[in-house]
Amino acid sequence: MDRFHKRMILAAGAILVVILALLSIAYGSTVVPLPDVLNALAHAAGLADLTATTPVERIIVDLRLPRVILGICVGAGLGIVGAMLQTVTRNDLADPFLFGLSSGAAAGAVSVISLFGDRFGIWTLPVAAFSGGMLAATIVLLLVRRVLGQGPERMILAGLAVSFLFAALTNYMVFSGDQRAAHSVMFWTLGGLGLARWENLPLAAFGLAVILVYALRNHRNLDAFLAGENTAESLGVRVHHTRNIVFIICAFSTAIFVSVAGVIGFVGLMIPHIARHLGGQLHAGLVVTCALLGAMLILLSDLAARLLLAPQELPIGIVTSSVGAFFVVTLLLRRR
């Protein structure tokens, strides 16, 4: 695929993200006509002269716009995380779930919801989830260092062990804690954008910026992994060091995403496979394609979650897991 076609794909992806963002703002428990959405956004940006802020504009600017921006940040970030983990482990099924990163963050958040309570204000839940995710990453790296060799298969096995451990711990806290919080725990562990506020958007944007900047600055080193570890070493890439750095950065960003949006599964698994067909294997284009596709998937899933049982809202994780199961089955049948 030549450079022109890749640029056309990226441009089309960016346009689709904008269209989906507008639809996500317009549709919900109350449908807002698209012209009103555009007028409200223009007024908020200082581009339109309206006499006063209307209730509809408050819904758009204070509730739905932060939700859309959070969805774009989380979806784009998880897509990039999945691509990087699949590259450095050479495993097509690698994603934050496989390495215990999501499970650790979930355990941290559930400990606050079911046992310790809201002691530090609105930042209690994000801080606890972030701490849990980083703790899981630390345990995985310590386990890998304790065994002979530091190959990707050992990291995967260590991640699976940590994932099961934190999942068991989460279930224990749910049943031993306040049962009145069980519904909140279930909704949060399945993911959602209901916590979106202007106050926590910088945190999500920072998580996306960290993973995006690192991937783009080191895209040549990541490309070297495609030729195998020995070839990468011969090209001057410190394979084990790079793999550990990538894992730490992925853990850092994943912990941030989980802390503001809960556990949203299968995004990091599906998106890189689709992106490789559209943008090729090289990471300079792959990373941007994953970001656009991840944002589109989250926006579509959030729309479906709000409209399927309206006015009740489904957790996004139910939608993405359903799509992910179908995707994995299709992937298996195509490789039969």
mmCIF file with all atom_site columns, all heavy atoms in Angstrom, residues 311-326:
data_model
loop_
_atom_site.group_PDB
_atom_site.id
_atom_site.type_symbol
_atom_site.label_atom_id
_atom_site.label_alt_id
_atom_site.label_comp_id
_atom_site.label_asym_id
_atom_site.label_entity_id
_atom_site.label_seq_id
_atom_site.pdbx_PDB_ins_code
_atom_site.Cartn_x
_atom_site.Cartn_y
_atom_site.Cartn_z
_atom_site.occupancy
_atom_site.B_iso_or_equiv
_atom_site.pdbx_formal_charge
_atom_site.auth_seq_id
_atom_site.auth_comp_id
_atom_site.auth_asym_id
_atom_site.auth_atom_id
_atom_site.pdbx_PDB_model_num
ATOM 1   N N   . PRO A 1 311 ? -34.115 4.330   28.662 1.00 0.00 ? 311 PRO A N   1
ATOM 2   C CA  . PRO A 1 311 ? -33.124 5.270   29.193 1.00 0.00 ? 311 PRO A CA  1
ATOM 3   C C   . PRO A 1 311 ? -32.055 4.615   30.090 1.00 0.00 ? 311 PRO A C   1
ATOM 4   O O   . PRO A 1 311 ? -31.176 5.306   30.587 1.00 0.00 ? 311 PRO A O   1
ATOM 5   C CB  . PRO A 1 311 ? -33.962 6.244   30.003 1.00 0.00 ? 311 PRO A CB  1
ATOM 6   C CG  . PRO A 1 311 ? -35.088 5.414   30.501 1.00 0.00 ? 311 PRO A CG  1
ATOM 7   C CD  . PRO A 1 311 ? -35.384 4.425   29.403 1.00 0.00 ? 311 PRO A CD  1
ATOM 8   N N   . GLN A 1 312 ? -32.139 3.316   30.317 1.00 0.00 ? 312 GLN A N   1
ATOM 9   C CA  . GLN A 1 312 ? -31.100 2.653   31.110 1.00 0.00 ? 312 GLN A CA  1
ATOM 10  C C   . GLN A 1 312 ? -29.821 2.528   30.291 1.00 0.00 ? 312 GLN A C   1
ATOM 11  O O   . GLN A 1 312 ? -29.869 2.329   29.077 1.00 0.00 ? 312 GLN A O   1
ATOM 12  C CB  . GLN A 1 312 ? -31.575 1.268   31.548 1.00 0.00 ? 312 GLN A CB  1
ATOM 13  C CG  . GLN A 1 312 ? -30.625 0.556   32.483 1.00 0.00 ? 312 GLN A CG  1
ATOM 14  C CD  . GLN A 1 312 ? -31.165 -0.800  32.920 1.00 0.00 ? 312 GLN A CD  1
ATOM 15  O OE1 . GLN A 1 312 ? -32.277 -1.170  32.550 1.00 0.00 ? 312 GLN A OE1 1
ATOM 16  N NE2 . GLN A 1 312 ? -30.384 -1.539  33.684 1.00 0.00 ? 312 GLN A NE2 1
ATOM 17  N N   . GLU A 1 313 ? -28.693 2.618   30.963 1.00 0.00 ? 313 GLU A N   1
ATOM 18  C CA  . GLU A 1 313 ? -27.394 2.583   30.284 1.00 0.00 ? 313 GLU A CA  1
ATOM 19  C C   . GLU A 1 313 ? -26.661 1.281   30.572 1.00 0.00 ? 313 GLU A C   1
ATOM 20  O O   . GLU A 1 313 ? -26.474 0.906   31.727 1.00 0.00 ? 313 GLU A O   1
ATOM 21  C CB  . GLU A 1 313 ? -26.535 3.766   30.739 1.00 0.00 ? 313 GLU A CB  1
ATOM 22  C CG  . GLU A 1 313 ? -25.168 3.823   30.087 1.00 0.00 ? 313 GLU A CG  1
ATOM 23  C CD  . GLU A 1 313 ? -24.340 4.974   30.595 1.00 0.00 ? 313 GLU A CD  1
ATOM 24  O OE1 . GLU A 1 313 ? -24.940 6.015   30.953 1.00 0.00 ? 313 GLU A OE1 1
ATOM 25  O OE2 . GLU A 1 313 ? -23.104 4.857   30.640 1.00 0.00 ? 313 GLU A OE2 1
ATOM 26  N N   . LEU A 1 314 ? -26.257 0.603   29.511 1.00 0.00 ? 314 LEU A N   1
ATOM 27  C CA  . LEU A 1 314 ? -25.469 -0.616  29.656 1.00 0.00 ? 314 LEU A CA  1
ATOM 28  C C   . LEU A 1 314 ? -23.998 -0.271  29.873 1.00 0.00 ? 314 LEU A C   1
ATOM 29  O O   . LEU A 1 314 ? -23.517 0.744   29.370 1.00 0.00 ? 314 LEU A O   1
ATOM 30  C CB  . LEU A 1 314 ? -25.578 -1.480  28.395 1.00 0.00 ? 314 LEU A CB  1
ATOM 31  C CG  . LEU A 1 314 ? -26.825 -2.321  28.180 1.00 0.00 ? 314 LEU A CG  1
ATOM 32  C CD1 . LEU A 1 314 ? -26.768 -2.955  26.792 1.00 0.00 ? 314 LEU A CD1 1
ATOM 33  C CD2 . LEU A 1 314 ? -26.949 -3.395  29.238 1.00 0.00 ? 314 LEU A CD2 1
ATOM 34  N N   . PRO A 1 315 ? -23.256 -1.100  30.590 1.00 0.00 ? 315 PRO A N   1
ATOM 35  C CA  . PRO A 1 315 ? -21.799 -0.920  30.630 1.00 0.00 ? 315 PRO A CA  1
ATOM 36  C C   . PRO A 1 315 ? -21.201 -1.148  29.239 1.00 0.00 ? 315 PRO A C   1
ATOM 37  O O   . PRO A 1 315 ? -21.632 -2.042  28.502 1.00 0.00 ? 315 PRO A O   1
ATOM 38  C CB  . PRO A 1 315 ? -21.330 -1.997  31.613 1.00 0.00 ? 315 PRO A CB  1
ATOM 39  C CG  . PRO A 1 315 ? -22.527 -2.352  32.411 1.00 0.00 ? 315 PRO A CG  1
ATOM 40  C CD  . PRO A 1 315 ? -23.701 -2.171  31.500 1.00 0.00 ? 315 PRO A CD  1
ATOM 41  N N   . ILE A 1 316 ? -20.227 -0.346  28.880 1.00 0.00 ? 316 ILE A N   1
ATOM 42  C CA  . ILE A 1 316 ? -19.597 -0.476  27.566 1.00 0.00 ? 316 ILE A CA  1
ATOM 43  C C   . ILE A 1 316 ? -18.946 -1.840  27.403 1.00 0.00 ? 316 ILE A C   1
ATOM 44  O O   . ILE A 1 316 ? -18.916 -2.404  26.307 1.00 0.00 ? 316 ILE A O   1
ATOM 45  C CB  . ILE A 1 316 ? -18.553 0.639   27.362 1.00 0.00 ? 316 ILE A CB  1
ATOM 46  C CG1 . ILE A 1 316 ? -19.239 1.976   27.235 1.00 0.00 ? 316 ILE A CG1 1
ATOM 47  C CG2 . ILE A 1 316 ? -17.719 0.386   26.113 1.00 0.00 ? 316 ILE A CG2 1
ATOM 48  C CD1 . ILE A 1 316 ? -18.290 3.118   26.985 1.00 0.00 ? 316 ILE A CD1 1
ATOM 49  N N   . GLY A 1 317 ? -18.415 -2.391  28.503 1.00 0.00 ? 317 GLY A N   1
ATOM 50  C CA  . GLY A 1 317 ? -17.734 -3.676  28.424 1.00 0.00 ? 317 GLY A CA  1
ATOM 51  C C   . GLY A 1 317 ? -18.595 -4.794  27.889 1.00 0.00 ? 317 GLY A C   1
ATOM 52  O O   . GLY A 1 317 ? -18.095 -5.735  27.259 1.00 0.00 ? 317 GLY A O   1
ATOM 53  N N   . ILE A 1 318 ? -19.906 -4.723  28.124 1.00 0.00 ? 318 ILE A N   1
ATOM 54  C CA  . ILE A 1 318 ? -20.805 -5.741  27.584 1.00 0.00 ? 318 ILE A CA  1
ATOM 55  C C   . ILE A 1 318 ? -20.810 -5.681  26.065 1.00 0.00 ? 318 ILE A C   1
ATOM 56  O O   . ILE A 1 318 ? -20.774 -6.713  25.376 1.00 0.00 ? 318 ILE A O   1
ATOM 57  C CB  . ILE A 1 318 ? -22.231 -5.551  28.144 1.00 0.00 ? 318 ILE A CB  1
ATOM 58  C CG1 . ILE A 1 318 ? -22.246 -5.828  29.647 1.00 0.00 ? 318 ILE A CG1 1
ATOM 59  C CG2 . ILE A 1 318 ? -23.233 -6.446  27.412 1.00 0.00 ? 318 ILE A CG2 1
ATOM 60  C CD1 . ILE A 1 318 ? -23.596 -5.619  30.295 1.00 0.00 ? 318 ILE A CD1 1
ATOM 61  N N   . VAL A 1 319 ? -20.827 -4.463  25.528 1.00 0.00 ? 319 VAL A N   1
ATOM 62  C CA  . VAL A 1 319 ? -20.850 -4.299  24.066 1.00 0.00 ? 319 VAL A CA  1
ATOM 63  C C   . VAL A 1 319 ? -19.515 -4.732  23.459 1.00 0.00 ? 319 VAL A C   1
ATOM 64  O O   . VAL A 1 319 ? -19.471 -5.509  22.493 1.00 0.00 ? 319 VAL A O   1
ATOM 65  C CB  . VAL A 1 319 ? -21.156 -2.833  23.701 1.00 0.00 ? 319 VAL A CB  1
ATOM 66  C CG1 . VAL A 1 319 ? -21.178 -2.662  22.183 1.00 0.00 ? 319 VAL A CG1 1
ATOM 67  C CG2 . VAL A 1 319 ? -22.484 -2.405  24.297 1.00 0.00 ? 319 VAL A CG2 1
ATOM 68  N N   . THR A 1 320 ? -18.413 -4.240  24.013 1.00 0.00 ? 320 THR A N   1
ATOM 69  C CA  . THR A 1 320 ? -17.108 -4.570  23.430 1.00 0.00 ? 320 THR A CA  1
ATOM 70  C C   . THR A 1 320 ? -16.778 -6.055  23.586 1.00 0.00 ? 320 THR A C   1
ATOM 71  O O   . THR A 1 320 ? -16.150 -6.652  22.706 1.00 0.00 ? 320 THR A O   1
ATOM 72  C CB  . THR A 1 320 ? -15.991 -3.728  24.079 1.00 0.00 ? 320 THR A CB  1
ATOM 73  O OG1 . THR A 1 320 ? -15.984 -3.943  25.490 1.00 0.00 ? 320 THR A OG1 1
ATOM 74  C CG2 . THR A 1 320 ? -16.194 -2.258  23.789 1.00 0.00 ? 320 THR A CG2 1
ATOM 75  N N   . SER A 1 321 ? -17.209 -6.671  24.696 1.00 0.00 ? 321 SER A N   1
ATOM 76  C CA  . SER A 1 321 ? -16.966 -8.105  24.878 1.00 0.00 ? 321 SER A CA  1
ATOM 77  C C   . SER A 1 321 ? -17.766 -8.931  23.879 1.00 0.00 ? 321 SER A C   1
ATOM 78  O O   . SER A 1 321 ? -17.276 -9.944  23.370 1.00 0.00 ? 321 SER A O   1
ATOM 79  C CB  . SER A 1 321 ? -17.319 -8.528  26.305 1.00 0.00 ? 321 SER A CB  1
ATOM 80  O OG  . SER A 1 321 ? -16.484 -7.896  27.241 1.00 0.00 ? 321 SER A OG  1
ATOM 81  N N   . SER A 1 322 ? -18.987 -8.506  23.592 1.00 0.00 ? 322 SER A N   1
ATOM 82  C CA  . SER A 1 322 ? -19.797 -9.212  22.596 1.00 0.00 ? 322 SER A CA  1
ATOM 83  C C   . SER A 1 322 ? -19.161 -9.128  21.215 1.00 0.00 ? 322 SER A C   1
ATOM 84  O O   . SER A 1 322 ? -19.036 -10.139 20.503 1.00 0.00 ? 322 SER A O   1
ATOM 85  C CB  . SER A 1 322 ? -21.211 -8.614  22.553 1.00 0.00 ? 322 SER A CB  1
ATOM 86  O OG  . SER A 1 322 ? -21.839 -8.699  23.815 1.00 0.00 ? 322 SER A OG  1
ATOM 87  N N   . VAL A 1 323 ? -18.734 -7.938  20.849 1.00 0.00 ? 323 VAL A N   1
ATOM 88  C CA  . VAL A 1 323 ? -18.052 -7.761  19.557 1.00 0.00 ? 323 VAL A CA  1
ATOM 89  C C   . VAL A 1 323 ? -16.733 -8.521  19.550 1.00 0.00 ? 323 VAL A C   1
ATOM 90  O O   . VAL A 1 323 ? -16.356 -9.155  18.551 1.00 0.00 ? 323 VAL A O   1
ATOM 91  C CB  . VAL A 1 323 ? -17.818 -6.263  19.273 1.00 0.00 ? 323 VAL A CB  1
ATOM 92  C CG1 . VAL A 1 323 ? -17.033 -6.075  17.985 1.00 0.00 ? 323 VAL A CG1 1
ATOM 93  C CG2 . VAL A 1 323 ? -19.142 -5.528  19.198 1.00 0.00 ? 323 VAL A CG2 1
ATOM 94  N N   . GLY A 1 324 ? -16.018 -8.486  20.669 1.00 0.00 ? 324 GLY A N   1
ATOM 95  C CA  . GLY A 1 324 ? -14.733 -9.163  20.758 1.00 0.00 ? 324 GLY A CA  1
ATOM 96  C C   . GLY A 1 324 ? -14.843 -10.668 20.627 1.00 0.00 ? 324 GLY A C   1
ATOM 97  O O   . GLY A 1 324 ? -14.004 -11.306 19.980 1.00 0.00 ? 324 GLY A O   1
ATOM 98  N N   . ALA A 1 325 ? -15.878 -11.254 21.236 1.00 0.00 ? 325 ALA A N   1
ATOM 99  C CA  . ALA A 1 325 ? -16.068 -12.702 21.115 1.00 0.00 ? 325 ALA A CA  1
ATOM 100 C C   . ALA A 1 325 ? -16.305 -13.095 19.664 1.00 0.00 ? 325 ALA A C   1
ATOM 101 O O   . ALA A 1 325 ? -15.732 -14.072 19.161 1.00 0.00 ? 325 ALA A O   1
ATOM 102 C CB  . ALA A 1 325 ? -17.242 -13.137 21.993 1.00 0.00 ? 325 ALA A CB  1
ATOM 103 N N   . PHE A 1 326 ? -17.146 -12.329 18.983 1.00 0.00 ? 326 PHE A N   1
ATOM 104 C CA  . PHE A 1 326 ? -17.405 -12.596 17.565 1.00 0.00 ? 326 PHE A CA  1
ATOM 105 C C   . PHE A 1 326 ? -16.135 -12.432 16.745 1.00 0.00 ? 326 PHE A C   1
ATOM 106 O O   . PHE A 1 326 ? -15.849 -13.223 15.838 1.00 0.00 ? 326 PHE A O   1
ATOM 107 C CB  . PHE A 1 326 ? -18.492 -11.644 17.062 1.00 0.00 ? 326 PHE A CB  1
ATOM 108 C CG  . PHE A 1 326 ? -18.784 -11.768 15.593 1.00 0.00 ? 326 PHE A CG  1
ATOM 109 C CD1 . PHE A 1 326 ? -19.553 -12.824 15.110 1.00 0.00 ? 326 PHE A CD1 1
ATOM 110 C CD2 . PHE A 1 326 ? -18.288 -10.844 14.696 1.00 0.00 ? 326 PHE A CD2 1
ATOM 111 C CE1 . PHE A 1 326 ? -19.815 -12.946 13.745 1.00 0.00 ? 326 PHE A CE1 1
ATOM 112 C CE2 . PHE A 1 326 ? -18.542 -10.951 13.342 1.00 0.00 ? 326 PHE A CE2 1
ATOM 113 C CZ  . PHE A 1 326 ? -19.314 -12.005 12.869 1.00 0.00 ? 326 PHE A CZ  1
#
